[in-house]
Amino acid sequence: MRVGLLEDDIAIQEMVMLVLQDEGYLVAAYADAEACLGALTNIASGFEPVDLLIVDWRLNGTMSGFEVIKQMRGFPHLASLPIILTTAATFTDIEALRDLRVSLLEKPFSVDEIISLIKSVTGPLASS
């Protein structure tokens, strides 16, 4: 299974990548919103699709992770992509998350928490 990871904090990105790779996942990391959107929405460029996307809410730059997710949901091939939004802040718009079919994972999270959530949103064969 291929997991996309949009996290602009390099230390957190590397930690999550190592955890996911140790669990057998292939990881495509994106340093910013533009790189993520470009990689996942430009079908003509021979993009590599992901089976799950993990997005940090607070990103450097002009877009938040939540805004990235809203844009992605407008593309038919991303409409049903499982997405996990991570945040260290209090996220209060739970209804908006439900509307966009997004799961929330609060930081700091444990290895068990992220792996359990991945499996719950992708199904029992998530680590294959």
Side-chain angles (χ1 to χ4, degrees), residues 54-128:
I54 300 171
V55 179
D56 186 34
W57 179 31
R58 291 193 176 160
L59 300 169
N60 294 326
T62 59
M63 281 195 287
S64 70
F66 193 69
E67 291 166 331
V68 171
I69 293 167
K70 287 194 291 189
Q71 282 193 25
M72 287 186 170
R73 288 299 191 218
F75 291 86
H77 69 285
L78 298 173
S80 62
L81 177 69
I83 297 177
I84 296 171
L85 181 69
T86 64
T87 183
T90 302
F91 193 89
T92 57
D93 198 354
I94 302 303
E95 186 173 322
L97 290 179
R98 268 190 235 115
D99 290 346
L100 291 170
R101 296 166 317 284
V102 175
S103 299
L104 182 64
L105 181 62
E106 294 181 357
K107 295 177 183 176
F109 50 82
S110 70
V111 171
D112 290 340
E113 286 173 314
I114 191 168
I115 298 304
S116 176
L117 184 55
I118 288 170
K119 288 179 179 178
S120 76
V121 300
T122 60
L125 301 176
S127 61
S128 59

Side-chain angles (χ1 to χ4, degrees), residues 21-40:
Q21 289 168 344
D22 283 349
E23 291 290 322
Y25 298 102
L26 300 173
V27 181
Y30 313 107
D32 58 43
E34 292 76 16
C36 181
L37 285 167
L40 298 179

